[in-house]
């Protein structure tokens, strides 16, 4: 028996092949059944949807998305166009969404990072200790150091300029947030001031370092 609906997955989402000779209402019923049977496999995934085989209008596409939602926990982020340039833009949007979700998943590291050590995180990272000169912290999300930051910190490494770096003692060798690089202050100038908790964030294509306070937390974009 010929399959009227075929579902295939890829890195960015799923492709649904609809038999062009089958009536839309029949396809809709078969689609619902397919997703009910596959609900445990897809779980609560967030995906882009590509529809091939049968040409559909906007209302029919809406009903397809509704049928998927009604018969599974999957969330459809967007419907991919057959236009290659537009499809590339959608794929980029999905990738950004995935990176943002990863950035919201944090990890803790307890201990001092010494020269030559590198700590990487697929989300935000909280370090319970110091980051010595010559050590590096690289995170997809935010970098928070509950100690002295004297090494190198890269936050929002995939291009997220809404990320931030915070430390109880902010004396980094180098800072980078997204694609924006910051320079370290002069060592003598740093020694003249008492160490206070500070936060570094992007604004107008530059990195700003401010004393950490409630007003600053309200003003900056966190993620």
């Amino acid at each position: 028996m010929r399959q009227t609906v075929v579902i295939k997955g890829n890195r960015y989402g799923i492709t649904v092949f609809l038999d062009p000779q089958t009536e839309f209402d029949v396809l809709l019923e078969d689609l619902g059944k397919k997703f009910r049977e596959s609900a445990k496999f897809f779980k609560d995934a967030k995906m882009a949807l590509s529809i091939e085989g049968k040409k559909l209008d906007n209302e029919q596409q809406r009903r397809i998305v509704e049928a998927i939602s009604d018969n599974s926990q999957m969330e459809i982020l967007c419907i991919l166009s057959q236009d290659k340039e537009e499809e590339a833009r959608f794929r980029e949007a999905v990738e950004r969404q995935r990176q943002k979700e990863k950035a919201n998943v944090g990890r803790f590291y307890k201990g001092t990072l010494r020269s030559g050590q590198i700590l990487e995180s697929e989300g935000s990272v909280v370090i319970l200790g110091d980051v010595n000169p010559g050590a590096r912290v690289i995170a997809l999300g935010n970098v928070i150091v509950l100690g002295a930051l004297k090494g190198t910190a890269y936050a929002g490494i995939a291009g997220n300029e809404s990320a931030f770096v915070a430390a109880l003692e902010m004396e980094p060798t180098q800072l980078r947030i997204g694609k924006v690089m910051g320079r370290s202050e002069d060592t003598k100038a740093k020694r003249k001031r008492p160490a206070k908790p500070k936060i570094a964030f992007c604004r107008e294509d530059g990195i700003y370092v401010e004393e950490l306070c409630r007003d600053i937390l309200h003003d900056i974009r966190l993620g």
Side-chain angles (χ1 to χ4, degrees), residues 151-171:
T152 298
Y154 294 165
I157 195 65
N160 178 15
E161 293 180 6
S162 295
F164 64 85
V165 177
L168 296 183
E169 187 177 340
M170 182 79 77
E171 296 183 6

Side-chain angles (χ1 to χ4, degrees), residues 37-220:
E37 294 172 347
S38 308
K40 289 184 179 180
F41 175 78
F42 290 114
K43 297 183 179 179
D44 57 353
K46 296 178 174 62
M47 294 185 171
L49 171 66
S50 177
I51 302 173
E52 297 184 8
K54 191 176 185 68
K55 190 172 182 180
L56 306 177
D57 58 31
N58 290 338
E59 174 60 20
Q60 289 173 325
Q61 290 182 12
R62 184 194 66 77
R63 291 180 66 188
I64 289 288
V65 173
E66 190 176 77
I68 294 173
S69 299
D70 289 345
N71 291 281
S72 71
Q73 298 299 313
M74 184 186 300
E75 179 181 346
I76 300 299
L77 297 175
C78 59
I79 298 178
L80 298 181
S81 168
Q82 296 305 307
D83 181 288
K84 295 303 180 183
E85 290 185 5
E86 186 175 354
E87 181 176 335
R89 290 194 294 271
F90 277 125
R91 291 185 189 277
E92 184 179 348
V94 172
E95 192 63 33
R96 284 199 304 268
Q97 174 67 21
R98 288 184 175 179
Q99 290 171 356
K100 185 175 180 181
E101 289 175 358
K102 282 185 179 180
N104 289 331
V105 179
R107 64 171 292 194
F108 287 87
Y109 177 88
K110 186 176 182 180
T112 294
L113 289 177
R114 306 189 186 283
S115 180
Q117 288 186 292
I118 300 174
L119 176 64
E120 296 182 280
S121 174
E122 292 187 353
S124 296
V125 61
V126 178
I127 299 169
L128 307 175
D130 298 335
V131 179
N132 287 348
R136 287 195 294 170
V137 183
I138 303 170
L140 192 64
N142 309 311
V143 174
I144 301 169
V145 181
L146 300 181
L149 172 56
K150 297 184 179 182
T152 298
Y154 294 165
I157 195 65
N160 178 15
E161 293 180 6
S162 295
F164 64 85
V165 177
L168 296 183
E169 187 177 340
M170 182 79 77
E171 296 183 6
T173 305
Q174 189 178 77
L175 281 179
R176 176 178 166 183
I177 299 176
K179 297 179 181 179
V180 183
M181 196 73 74
R183 296 180 180 178
S184 175
E185 291 183 90
D186 179 76
T187 304
K188 292 181 180 179
K190 289 189 287 188
R191 287 176 180 169
K192 291 179 181 178
R193 298 193 297 270
K196 292 184 179 181
K198 292 184 178 179
I199 187 167
F201 55 93
C202 278
R203 183 178 291 168
E204 298 175 355
D205 296 326
I207 293 179
Y208 290 75
V209 179
E210 302 284 353
E211 186 175 329
L212 189 57
C213 63
R214 185 173 297 176
D215 290 341
I216 289 293
L217 292 175
H218 283 310
D219 288 343
I220 68 171

Side-chain angles (χ1 to χ4, degrees), residues 2-5 17-24 27 52-56:
R2 184 179 63 188
Q3 293 190 68
T4 59
V5 177
F17 294 88
L18 302 177
D19 179 36
Q21 306 302 321
T22 303
E23 292 293 326
F24 178 73
L27 289 173
E52 297 184 8
K54 191 176 185 68
K55 190 172 182 180
L56 306 177

